[in-house]
Tab-separated table of all heavy atoms in Angstrom:
chain	number	residue	atom	x	y	z
A	9	MET	N	192.798	76.114	167.789
A	9	MET	CA	191.764	75.443	168.526
A	9	MET	C	192.421	74.190	169.157
A	9	MET	O	193.133	73.445	168.498
A	9	MET	CB	190.657	75.026	167.584
A	9	MET	CG	189.546	74.334	168.337
A	9	MET	SD	188.136	74.216	167.169
A	9	MET	CE	186.795	74.225	168.348
A	10	VAL	N	191.983	73.936	170.409
A	10	VAL	CA	192.454	72.767	171.043
A	10	VAL	C	191.572	71.515	170.773
A	10	VAL	O	190.389	71.663	170.877
A	10	VAL	CB	192.465	73.038	172.594
A	10	VAL	CG1	192.923	71.776	173.385
A	10	VAL	CG2	193.433	74.191	172.947
A	11	LYS	N	192.119	70.478	170.394
A	11	LYS	CA	191.381	69.270	170.148
A	11	LYS	C	191.222	68.579	171.460
A	11	LYS	O	192.119	68.282	172.202
A	11	LYS	CB	192.080	68.274	169.213
A	11	LYS	CG	191.376	67.082	168.818
A	11	LYS	CD	192.046	66.227	167.838
A	11	LYS	CE	191.189	65.104	167.505
A	11	LYS	NZ	191.883	64.174	166.529
A	12	LEU	N	189.906	68.262	171.839
A	12	LEU	CA	189.567	67.682	173.140
A	12	LEU	C	189.653	66.215	173.090
A	12	LEU	O	189.262	65.506	172.095
A	12	LEU	CB	188.121	68.072	173.530
A	12	LEU	CG	187.962	69.619	173.805
A	12	LEU	CD1	186.541	69.922	174.102
A	12	LEU	CD2	188.862	70.220	174.723
A	13	SER	N	190.154	65.567	174.072
A	13	SER	CA	190.365	64.100	174.197
A	13	SER	C	189.314	63.564	175.059
A	13	SER	O	189.139	62.289	175.127
A	13	SER	CB	191.748	63.822	174.784
A	13	SER	OG	191.836	64.062	176.138
A	14	GLY	N	188.563	64.375	175.904
A	14	GLY	CA	187.592	63.862	176.733
A	14	GLY	C	188.121	63.631	178.135
A	14	GLY	O	187.510	63.144	179.000
A	15	GLN	N	189.467	63.872	178.287
A	15	GLN	CA	190.129	63.670	179.514
A	15	GLN	C	190.534	65.060	180.084
A	15	GLN	O	191.305	65.735	179.451
A	15	GLN	CB	191.349	62.826	179.453
A	15	GLN	CG	190.966	61.423	178.946
A	15	GLN	CD	192.254	60.483	178.799
A	15	GLN	OE1	193.309	60.960	179.106
A	15	GLN	NE2	192.018	59.426	178.217
A	16	TRP	N	189.932	65.435	181.185
A	16	TRP	CA	190.026	66.886	181.663
A	16	TRP	C	191.482	67.305	181.800
A	16	TRP	O	191.835	68.377	181.261
A	16	TRP	CB	189.287	67.065	182.978
A	16	TRP	CG	189.380	68.491	183.392
A	16	TRP	CD1	188.538	69.465	183.042
A	16	TRP	CD2	190.416	69.096	184.201
A	16	TRP	NE1	188.992	70.641	183.621
A	16	TRP	CE2	190.039	70.456	184.323
A	16	TRP	CE3	191.514	68.632	184.916
A	16	TRP	CZ2	190.816	71.351	185.028
A	16	TRP	CZ3	192.263	69.544	185.606
A	16	TRP	CH2	191.977	70.827	185.724
A	17	HIS	N	192.334	66.470	182.403
A	17	HIS	CA	193.724	66.919	182.680
A	17	HIS	C	194.498	67.152	181.382
A	17	HIS	O	195.190	68.062	181.178
A	17	HIS	CB	194.463	65.943	183.568
A	17	HIS	CG	193.921	65.870	184.959
A	17	HIS	ND1	194.343	66.807	185.931
A	17	HIS	CD2	193.022	65.058	185.558
A	17	HIS	CE1	193.777	66.486	187.058
A	17	HIS	NE2	192.894	65.475	186.842
A	18	THR	N	194.366	66.149	180.468
A	18	THR	CA	194.999	66.272	179.211
A	18	THR	C	194.555	67.405	178.449
A	18	THR	O	195.359	68.198	177.786
A	18	THR	CB	194.768	64.986	178.402
A	18	THR	OG1	195.211	63.759	179.164
A	18	THR	CG2	195.480	65.005	177.065
A	19	ASP	N	193.231	67.660	178.448
A	19	ASP	CA	192.670	68.766	177.647
A	19	ASP	C	193.053	70.104	178.262
A	19	ASP	O	193.430	71.043	177.587
A	19	ASP	CB	191.127	68.765	177.655
A	19	ASP	CG	190.622	67.554	176.900
A	19	ASP	OD1	191.320	67.042	176.059
A	19	ASP	OD2	189.410	67.202	177.060
A	20	TYR	N	193.121	70.230	179.590
A	20	TYR	CA	193.556	71.463	180.242
A	20	TYR	C	195.037	71.768	179.958
A	20	TYR	O	195.342	72.956	179.660
A	20	TYR	CB	193.233	71.408	181.754
A	20	TYR	CG	193.164	72.822	182.306
A	20	TYR	CD1	192.060	73.567	182.239
A	20	TYR	CD2	194.363	73.390	182.993
A	20	TYR	CE1	192.031	74.903	182.695
A	20	TYR	CE2	194.379	74.655	183.484
A	20	TYR	CZ	193.106	75.369	183.271
A	20	TYR	OH	193.148	76.684	183.748
A	21	MET	N	195.893	70.698	180.052
A	21	MET	CA	197.290	70.971	179.727
A	21	MET	C	197.443	71.469	178.327
A	21	MET	O	198.328	72.331	178.032
A	21	MET	CB	198.072	69.741	180.045
A	21	MET	CG	198.271	69.440	181.479
A	21	MET	SD	199.390	68.173	181.907
A	21	MET	CE	198.375	66.723	181.557
A	22	ALA	N	196.725	70.946	177.434
A	22	ALA	CA	196.708	71.439	176.017
A	22	ALA	C	196.214	72.946	175.864
A	22	ALA	O	196.803	73.708	175.236
A	22	ALA	CB	196.033	70.540	175.138
A	23	LYS	N	195.197	73.160	176.679
A	23	LYS	CA	194.621	74.512	176.567
A	23	LYS	C	195.555	75.555	177.079
A	23	LYS	O	195.607	76.600	176.468
A	23	LYS	CB	193.309	74.444	177.468
A	23	LYS	CG	192.635	75.925	177.425
A	23	LYS	CD	191.461	75.823	178.346
A	23	LYS	CE	190.825	77.275	178.551
A	23	LYS	NZ	189.782	77.304	179.439
A	24	VAL	N	196.237	75.292	178.229
A	24	VAL	CA	197.084	76.297	178.780
A	24	VAL	C	198.241	76.715	177.820
A	24	VAL	O	198.670	77.885	177.875
A	24	VAL	CB	197.691	76.033	180.125
A	24	VAL	CG1	196.576	75.829	181.170
A	24	VAL	CG2	198.519	74.839	180.147
A	25	LYS	N	198.574	75.813	176.915
A	25	LYS	CA	199.679	76.128	175.986
A	25	LYS	C	199.176	77.241	174.928
A	25	LYS	O	200.056	77.793	174.238
A	25	LYS	CB	200.163	74.861	175.265
A	25	LYS	CG	200.844	73.943	176.138
A	25	LYS	CD	201.320	72.655	175.434
A	25	LYS	CE	201.993	71.804	176.492
A	25	LYS	NZ	203.077	70.994	176.000
A	26	THR	N	197.912	77.351	174.820
A	26	THR	CA	197.410	78.319	173.872
A	26	THR	C	197.096	79.702	174.461
A	26	THR	O	196.708	80.636	173.734
A	26	THR	CB	196.119	77.759	173.261
A	26	THR	OG1	195.059	77.772	174.171
A	26	THR	CG2	196.294	76.421	172.632
A	27	LEU	N	197.213	79.814	175.836
A	27	LEU	CA	196.885	81.040	176.480
A	27	LEU	C	198.004	81.924	176.578
A	27	LEU	O	199.072	81.510	176.880
A	27	LEU	CB	196.256	80.736	177.859
A	27	LEU	CG	195.000	79.883	177.923
A	27	LEU	CD1	194.659	79.454	179.322
A	27	LEU	CD2	193.861	80.621	177.188
A	28	PRO	N	197.716	83.317	176.558
A	28	PRO	CA	198.788	84.185	176.835
A	28	PRO	C	199.221	84.196	178.348
A	28	PRO	O	198.458	83.819	179.210
A	28	PRO	CB	198.232	85.638	176.421
A	28	PRO	CG	196.730	85.395	176.394
A	28	PRO	CD	196.460	83.940	176.207
A	29	ASN	N	200.417	84.707	178.649
A	29	ASN	CA	200.862	84.772	179.960
A	29	ASN	C	199.944	85.527	180.897
A	29	ASN	O	199.818	85.129	182.074
A	29	ASN	CB	202.224	85.406	179.977
A	29	ASN	CG	203.333	84.526	179.376
A	29	ASN	OD1	203.154	83.365	179.255
A	29	ASN	ND2	204.446	85.157	179.010
A	30	GLU	N	199.350	86.650	180.478
A	30	GLU	CA	198.473	87.341	181.345
A	30	GLU	C	197.245	86.466	181.775
A	30	GLU	O	196.784	86.560	182.848
A	30	GLU	CB	197.857	88.586	180.500
A	30	GLU	CG	198.910	89.618	180.383
A	30	GLU	CD	198.296	90.786	179.460
A	30	GLU	OE1	197.153	90.660	179.053
A	30	GLU	OE2	199.058	91.753	179.292
A	31	SER	N	196.700	85.682	180.793
A	31	SER	CA	195.633	84.825	181.187
A	31	SER	C	196.050	83.727	182.169
A	31	SER	O	195.333	83.315	183.103
A	31	SER	CB	195.070	84.072	179.904
A	31	SER	OG	194.482	85.085	179.049
A	32	LEU	N	197.213	83.155	181.983
A	32	LEU	CA	197.769	82.210	182.953
A	32	LEU	C	197.892	82.758	184.391
A	32	LEU	O	197.419	82.109	185.218
A	32	LEU	CB	199.058	81.654	182.397
A	32	LEU	CG	199.106	80.818	181.157
A	32	LEU	CD1	200.519	80.522	180.730
A	32	LEU	CD2	198.254	79.601	181.203
A	33	ARG	N	198.393	83.940	184.392
A	33	ARG	CA	198.632	84.593	185.709
A	33	ARG	C	197.153	84.907	186.324
A	33	ARG	O	196.980	84.754	187.572
A	33	ARG	CB	199.457	85.874	185.642
A	33	ARG	CG	200.837	85.518	185.424
A	33	ARG	CD	201.771	86.802	185.583
A	33	ARG	NE	201.763	87.618	184.424
A	33	ARG	CZ	202.425	87.469	183.380
A	33	ARG	NH1	203.205	86.457	183.233
A	33	ARG	NH2	202.317	88.400	182.396
A	34	TYR	N	196.248	85.204	185.486
A	34	TYR	CA	194.831	85.577	185.915
A	34	TYR	C	194.263	84.325	186.564
A	34	TYR	O	193.633	84.331	187.627
A	34	TYR	CB	193.911	86.098	184.910
A	34	TYR	CG	192.583	86.423	185.343
A	34	TYR	CD1	192.196	87.513	186.003
A	34	TYR	CD2	191.656	85.361	185.147
A	34	TYR	CE1	191.007	87.733	186.394
A	34	TYR	CE2	190.315	85.634	185.638
A	34	TYR	CZ	189.963	86.807	186.266
A	34	TYR	OH	188.683	87.012	186.721
A	35	ILE	N	194.363	83.158	185.810
A	35	ILE	CA	193.817	81.870	186.255
A	35	ILE	C	194.495	81.549	187.603
A	35	ILE	O	193.719	81.027	188.465
A	35	ILE	CB	194.062	80.794	185.144
A	35	ILE	CG1	193.147	81.117	183.978
A	35	ILE	CG2	193.706	79.483	185.773
A	35	ILE	CD1	193.513	80.294	182.772
A	36	ILE	N	195.774	81.678	187.760
A	36	ILE	CA	196.377	81.262	188.888
A	36	ILE	C	195.810	82.060	190.126
A	36	ILE	O	195.404	81.529	191.135
A	36	ILE	CB	197.936	81.504	188.865
A	36	ILE	CG1	198.550	80.441	187.944
A	36	ILE	CG2	198.635	81.458	190.273
A	36	ILE	CD1	200.014	80.784	187.515
A	37	GLU	N	195.741	83.374	189.922
A	37	GLU	CA	195.146	84.246	190.998
A	37	GLU	C	193.730	83.858	191.344
A	37	GLU	O	193.258	83.858	192.440
A	37	GLU	CB	195.323	85.637	190.686
A	37	GLU	CG	194.872	86.703	191.744
A	37	GLU	CD	195.762	86.631	192.959
A	37	GLU	OE1	196.971	86.167	192.871
A	37	GLU	OE2	195.304	86.979	194.089
A	38	ASP	N	192.867	83.604	190.287
A	38	ASP	CA	191.473	83.370	190.449
A	38	ASP	C	191.357	82.037	191.176
A	38	ASP	O	190.468	81.976	192.128
A	38	ASP	CB	190.770	83.346	189.121
A	38	ASP	CG	189.279	83.246	189.194
A	38	ASP	OD1	188.666	84.019	189.992
A	38	ASP	OD2	188.768	82.393	188.512
A	39	CYS	N	192.016	81.064	190.769
A	39	CYS	CA	191.943	79.774	191.471
A	39	CYS	C	192.425	79.800	192.944
A	39	CYS	O	191.797	79.259	193.825
A	39	CYS	CB	192.776	78.646	190.688
A	39	CYS	SG	191.912	78.202	189.155
A	40	ARG	N	193.420	80.529	193.203
A	40	ARG	CA	193.967	80.683	194.530
A	40	ARG	C	192.928	81.389	195.415
A	40	ARG	O	192.650	80.931	196.582
A	40	ARG	CB	195.273	81.464	194.554
A	40	ARG	CG	196.459	80.632	194.089
A	40	ARG	CD	197.739	81.458	194.212
A	40	ARG	NE	198.908	80.645	193.926
A	40	ARG	CZ	200.054	81.110	193.720
A	40	ARG	NH1	200.233	82.438	193.679
A	40	ARG	NH2	201.060	80.339	193.447
A	41	ASN	N	192.211	82.418	194.872
A	41	ASN	CA	191.188	83.096	195.557
A	41	ASN	C	190.000	82.100	195.864
A	41	ASN	O	189.488	82.140	197.010
A	41	ASN	CB	190.724	84.271	194.838
A	41	ASN	CG	191.759	85.395	194.824
A	41	ASN	OD1	192.604	85.508	195.717
A	41	ASN	ND2	191.621	86.341	193.860
A	42	ALA	N	189.682	81.319	194.907
A	42	ALA	CA	188.577	80.378	195.077
A	42	ALA	C	188.949	79.227	196.144
A	42	ALA	O	188.141	78.999	197.002
A	42	ALA	CB	188.156	79.716	193.770
A	43	MET	N	190.230	78.862	196.099
A	43	MET	CA	190.611	77.902	197.075
A	43	MET	C	190.641	78.446	198.520
A	43	MET	O	190.211	77.657	199.454
A	43	MET	CB	192.112	77.368	196.722
A	43	MET	CG	192.142	76.569	195.418
A	43	MET	SD	193.801	76.369	194.760
A	43	MET	CE	194.469	75.237	196.023
A	44	HIS	N	191.049	79.644	198.607
A	44	HIS	CA	191.064	80.346	200.029
A	44	HIS	C	189.590	80.548	200.362
A	44	HIS	O	189.264	80.348	201.625
A	44	HIS	CB	191.817	81.613	199.868
A	44	HIS	CG	191.846	82.342	201.200
A	44	HIS	ND1	192.607	81.974	202.149
A	44	HIS	CD2	191.248	83.523	201.570
A	44	HIS	CE1	192.415	82.769	203.292
A	44	HIS	NE2	191.605	83.704	202.855
A	45	ALA	N	188.733	80.965	199.481
A	45	ALA	CA	187.399	81.408	199.866
A	45	ALA	C	186.517	80.037	200.192
A	45	ALA	O	185.547	80.144	201.016
A	45	ALA	CB	186.730	82.101	198.783
A	46	MET	N	186.836	78.956	199.537
A	46	MET	CA	185.991	77.837	199.680
A	46	MET	C	186.863	76.577	199.913
A	46	MET	O	186.987	75.709	199.029
A	46	MET	CB	185.190	77.630	198.413
A	46	MET	CG	184.247	78.795	198.100
A	46	MET	SD	183.348	78.579	196.476
A	46	MET	CE	184.667	78.727	195.339
A	47	PRO	N	187.504	76.513	201.062
A	47	PRO	CA	188.494	75.399	201.190
A	47	PRO	C	187.786	74.015	201.348
A	47	PRO	O	188.469	72.936	201.104
A	47	PRO	CB	189.133	75.706	202.559
A	47	PRO	CG	188.197	76.618	203.261
A	47	PRO	CD	187.453	77.384	202.143
A	48	ASP	N	186.573	73.907	201.520
A	48	ASP	CA	185.778	72.701	201.520
A	48	ASP	C	185.085	72.343	200.209
A	48	ASP	O	184.355	71.293	200.189
A	48	ASP	CB	184.753	72.644	202.743
A	48	ASP	CG	185.464	72.794	204.092
A	48	ASP	OD1	186.539	72.293	204.209
A	48	ASP	OD2	184.892	73.422	204.973
A	49	SER	N	185.280	73.080	199.178
A	49	SER	CA	184.688	72.907	197.949
A	49	SER	C	185.060	71.602	197.323
A	49	SER	O	186.257	71.219	197.366
A	49	SER	CB	184.917	74.018	197.056
A	49	SER	OG	184.511	73.723	195.726
A	50	HIS	N	184.119	70.883	196.619
A	50	HIS	CA	184.502	69.688	195.920
A	50	HIS	C	185.346	69.976	194.668
A	50	HIS	O	185.991	69.096	194.124
A	50	HIS	CB	183.167	68.941	195.499
A	50	HIS	CG	182.432	69.631	194.430
A	50	HIS	ND1	181.571	70.715	194.716
A	50	HIS	CD2	182.391	69.438	193.080
A	50	HIS	CE1	181.004	71.054	193.583
A	50	HIS	NE2	181.535	70.254	192.559
A	51	LYS	N	185.542	71.270	194.340
A	51	LYS	CA	186.276	71.621	193.217
A	51	LYS	C	187.715	72.111	193.638
A	51	LYS	O	188.494	72.543	192.753
A	51	LYS	CB	185.579	72.748	192.332
A	51	LYS	CG	184.376	72.154	191.769
A	51	LYS	CD	183.780	73.133	190.734
A	51	LYS	CE	184.721	73.122	189.539
A	51	LYS	NZ	184.126	73.142	188.302
A	52	TRP	N	188.035	72.104	194.969
A	52	TRP	CA	189.347	72.498	195.434
A	52	TRP	C	190.426	71.812	194.706
A	52	TRP	O	191.436	72.491	194.273
A	52	TRP	CB	189.359	72.308	196.985
A	52	TRP	CG	190.477	73.132	197.574
A	52	TRP	CD1	190.405	74.284	198.159
A	52	TRP	CD2	191.902	72.765	197.739
A	52	TRP	NE1	191.623	74.670	198.647
A	52	TRP	CE2	192.514	73.728	198.335
A	52	TRP	CE3	192.609	71.615	197.243
A	52	TRP	CZ2	193.895	73.649	198.613
A	52	TRP	CZ3	194.006	71.486	197.533
A	52	TRP	CH2	194.602	72.569	198.255
A	53	GLY	N	190.390	70.556	194.511
A	53	GLY	CA	191.472	69.824	193.829
A	53	GLY	C	191.687	70.242	192.374
A	53	GLY	O	192.694	70.359	191.872
A	54	GLN	N	190.512	70.566	191.638
A	54	GLN	CA	190.596	71.019	190.398
A	54	GLN	C	191.229	72.379	190.263
A	54	GLN	O	192.114	72.568	189.384
A	54	GLN	CB	189.235	71.105	189.728
A	54	GLN	CG	189.270	71.566	188.224
A	54	GLN	CD	187.842	71.686	187.604
A	54	GLN	OE1	186.943	70.920	187.992
A	54	GLN	NE2	187.788	72.517	186.659
A	55	TYR	N	190.949	73.248	191.221
A	55	TYR	CA	191.574	74.537	191.211
A	55	TYR	C	193.041	74.439	191.401
A	55	TYR	O	193.857	75.142	190.855
A	55	TYR	CB	190.940	75.458	192.325
A	55	TYR	CG	189.467	75.789	192.198
A	55	TYR	CD1	188.693	75.848	193.289
A	55	TYR	CD2	188.914	75.977	190.908
A	55	TYR	CE1	187.350	76.155	193.227
A	55	TYR	CE2	187.581	76.306	190.818
A	55	TYR	CZ	186.740	76.372	191.953
A	55	TYR	OH	185.442	76.697	191.857
A	56	ALA	N	193.452	73.479	192.313
A	56	ALA	CA	194.889	73.324	192.611
A	56	ALA	C	195.580	72.786	191.289
A	56	ALA	O	196.697	73.156	191.014
A	56	ALA	CB	195.057	72.305	193.716
A	57	ASP	N	194.922	71.857	190.608
A	57	ASP	CA	195.500	71.379	189.361
A	57	ASP	C	195.627	72.484	188.357
A	57	ASP	O	196.586	72.593	187.630
A	57	ASP	CB	194.619	70.328	188.758
A	57	ASP	CG	194.639	68.960	189.545
A	57	ASP	OD1	195.580	68.745	190.282
A	57	ASP	OD2	193.724	68.124	189.365
A	58	GLU	N	194.657	73.422	188.212
A	58	GLU	CA	194.723	74.466	187.286
A	58	GLU	C	195.907	75.347	187.585
A	58	GLU	O	196.647	75.820	186.727
A	58	GLU	CB	193.473	75.326	187.331
A	58	GLU	CG	192.238	74.540	186.684
A	58	GLU	CD	191.020	75.409	186.582
A	58	GLU	OE1	191.132	76.603	186.052
A	58	GLU	OE2	189.964	74.961	187.055
A	59	VAL	N	196.155	75.713	188.934
A	59	VAL	CA	197.252	76.456	189.318
A	59	VAL	C	198.512	75.779	188.965
A	59	VAL	O	199.459	76.408	188.310
A	59	VAL	CB	197.260	76.732	190.823
A	59	VAL	CG1	198.566	77.311	191.313
A	59	VAL	CG2	196.010	77.644	191.264
A	60	HIS	N	198.603	74.516	189.257
A	60	HIS	CA	199.842	73.755	188.859
A	60	HIS	C	200.064	73.815	187.364
A	60	HIS	O	201.273	73.960	187.001
A	60	HIS	CB	199.624	72.268	189.396
A	60	HIS	CG	200.812	71.391	189.032
A	60	HIS	ND1	202.050	71.491	189.655
A	60	HIS	CD2	200.869	70.420	188.187
A	60	HIS	CE1	202.792	70.664	189.117
A	60	HIS	NE2	202.180	69.904	188.223
A	61	TYR	N	199.045	73.532	186.578
A	61	TYR	CA	199.314	73.427	185.086
A	61	TYR	C	199.752	74.783	184.499
A	61	TYR	O	200.513	74.908	183.626
A	61	TYR	CB	198.089	72.853	184.419
A	61	TYR	CG	197.806	71.366	184.756
A	61	TYR	CD1	196.443	70.955	184.945
A	61	TYR	CD2	198.777	70.500	185.003
A	61	TYR	CE1	196.253	69.608	185.231
A	61	TYR	CE2	198.504	69.182	185.393
A	61	TYR	CZ	197.239	68.789	185.448
A	61	TYR	OH	196.955	67.475	185.751
A	62	CYS	N	199.071	75.792	185.083
A	62	CYS	CA	199.472	77.171	184.632
A	62	CYS	C	200.964	77.454	184.999
A	62	CYS	O	201.636	78.050	184.161
A	62	CYS	CB	198.530	78.231	185.144
A	62	CYS	SG	196.896	78.179	184.469
A	63	HIS	N	201.362	77.159	186.215
A	63	HIS	CA	202.758	77.313	186.532
A	63	HIS	C	203.632	76.539	185.800
A	63	HIS	O	204.749	77.022	185.335
A	63	HIS	CB	202.932	76.968	188.066
A	63	HIS	CG	202.687	78.028	189.028
A	63	HIS	ND1	203.357	79.155	189.026
A	63	HIS	CD2	201.626	78.195	189.957
A	63	HIS	CE1	202.892	80.011	190.006
A	63	HIS	NE2	201.869	79.388	190.581
A	64	MET	N	203.263	75.282	185.431
A	64	MET	CA	204.142	74.431	184.630
A	64	MET	C	204.339	75.084	183.178
A	64	MET	O	205.518	75.093	182.648
A	64	MET	CB	203.523	73.070	184.357
A	64	MET	CG	203.656	72.162	185.585
A	64	MET	SD	202.785	70.460	185.391
A	64	MET	CE	203.010	70.097	183.672
A	65	GLU	N	203.284	75.602	182.699
A	65	GLU	CA	203.459	76.304	181.314
A	65	GLU	C	204.236	77.556	181.374
A	65	GLU	O	205.044	77.795	180.524
A	65	GLU	CB	202.008	76.614	180.777
A	65	GLU	CG	201.955	77.235	179.478
A	65	GLU	CD	202.673	76.433	178.358
A	65	GLU	OE1	202.896	75.224	178.420
A	65	GLU	OE2	203.121	77.083	177.313
A	66	ILE	N	204.093	78.323	182.465
A	66	ILE	CA	204.935	79.523	182.546
A	66	ILE	C	206.409	79.158	182.663
A	66	ILE	O	207.232	79.719	181.919
A	66	ILE	CB	204.464	80.374	183.754
A	66	ILE	CG1	203.060	81.069	183.461
A	66	ILE	CG2	205.495	81.462	184.095
A	66	ILE	CD1	202.411	81.715	184.651
A	67	LYS	N	206.648	78.172	183.461
A	67	LYS	CA	208.093	77.663	183.546
A	67	LYS	C	208.603	77.098	182.215
A	67	LYS	O	209.737	77.338	181.885
A	67	LYS	CB	208.195	76.628	184.666
A	67	LYS	CG	208.144	77.255	186.087
A	67	LYS	CD	208.333	76.150	187.145
A	67	LYS	CE	208.300	76.790	188.428
A	67	LYS	NZ	208.539	75.796	189.569
A	68	ARG	N	207.773	76.374	181.518
A	68	ARG	CA	208.189	75.853	180.179
A	68	ARG	C	208.530	77.046	179.307
A	68	ARG	O	209.561	76.916	178.626
A	68	ARG	CB	207.102	74.977	179.600
A	68	ARG	CG	207.422	74.380	178.340
A	68	ARG	CD	206.222	73.744	177.587
A	68	ARG	NE	205.440	74.748	176.981
A	68	ARG	CZ	205.539	75.339	175.961
A	68	ARG	NH1	206.590	75.178	175.242
A	68	ARG	NH2	204.671	76.293	175.506
A	69	ARG	N	207.799	78.079	179.308
A	69	ARG	CA	208.064	79.236	178.418
A	69	ARG	C	209.284	79.914	178.794
A	69	ARG	O	209.962	80.582	177.959
A	69	ARG	CB	206.858	80.177	178.504
A	69	ARG	CG	205.629	79.589	177.844
A	69	ARG	CD	204.475	80.535	177.846
A	69	ARG	NE	203.281	79.888	177.346
A	69	ARG	CZ	202.093	80.441	177.235
A	69	ARG	NH1	202.006	81.715	177.618
A	69	ARG	NH2	201.033	79.861	176.870
A	70	LEU	N	209.653	79.884	180.063
A	70	LEU	CA	210.849	80.537	180.586
A	70	LEU	C	212.102	79.683	180.359
A	70	LEU	O	213.250	80.053	180.650
A	70	LEU	CB	210.697	80.974	182.022
A	70	LEU	CG	209.644	82.009	182.278
A	70	LEU	CD1	209.485	82.177	183.792
A	70	LEU	CD2	210.044	83.378	181.685
A	71	GLY	N	211.923	78.410	179.936
A	71	GLY	CA	212.985	77.525	179.637
A	71	GLY	C	213.524	76.916	180.935
A	71	GLY	O	214.639	76.550	181.027
A	72	LYS	N	212.702	76.849	182.029
A	72	LYS	CA	213.092	76.233	183.322
A	72	LYS	C	212.643	74.864	183.410
A	72	LYS	O	211.746	74.394	182.954
A	72	LYS	CB	212.610	77.116	184.431
A	72	LYS	CG	213.254	78.432	184.481
A	72	LYS	CD	212.691	79.326	185.593
A	72	LYS	CE	213.384	80.673	185.632
A	72	LYS	NZ	213.043	81.410	186.728
């Protein structure tokens, strides 16, 4: 279980470390689709952050 700090970015980075690779790839694709479908959404930046944090975790696991 991920201990929440009340800070979204910190909590999300901790959360992605607990997710399997398949989930990380799904989140990346889902967020990209949302960003493409709703480029003016107030959540666009959050989706971009989610993609970034998932990519960072995948790279960490690959030792890059």
Side-chain angles (χ1 to χ4, degrees):
M9 178 174 212
V10 176
K11 184 176 180 181
L12 301 178
S13 70
Q15 298 179 7
W16 184 85
H17 293 275
T18 302
D19 293 342
Y20 198 80
M21 286 188 281
K23 177 184 173 181
V24 298
K25 291 181 182 211
T26 69
L27 298 173
N29 290 342
E30 290 175 355
S31 294
L32 296 174
R33 286 192 284 280
Y34 177 85
I35 292 168
I36 291 167
E37 185 65 24
D38 189 48
C39 287
R40 283 182 174 165
N41 288 338
M43 292 165 70
H44 179 73
M46 302 176 290
D48 296 328
S49 171
H50 69 280
K51 294 194 71 146
W52 194 95
Q54 179 179 335
Y55 298 143
D57 287 341
E58 289 186 50
V59 169
H60 177 69
Y61 296 143
C62 288
H63 273 294
M64 282 176 38
E65 179 58 20
I66 290 170
K67 286 184 177 183
R68 184 189 70 80
R69 292 177 186 183
L70 294 173
K72 294 183 178 183

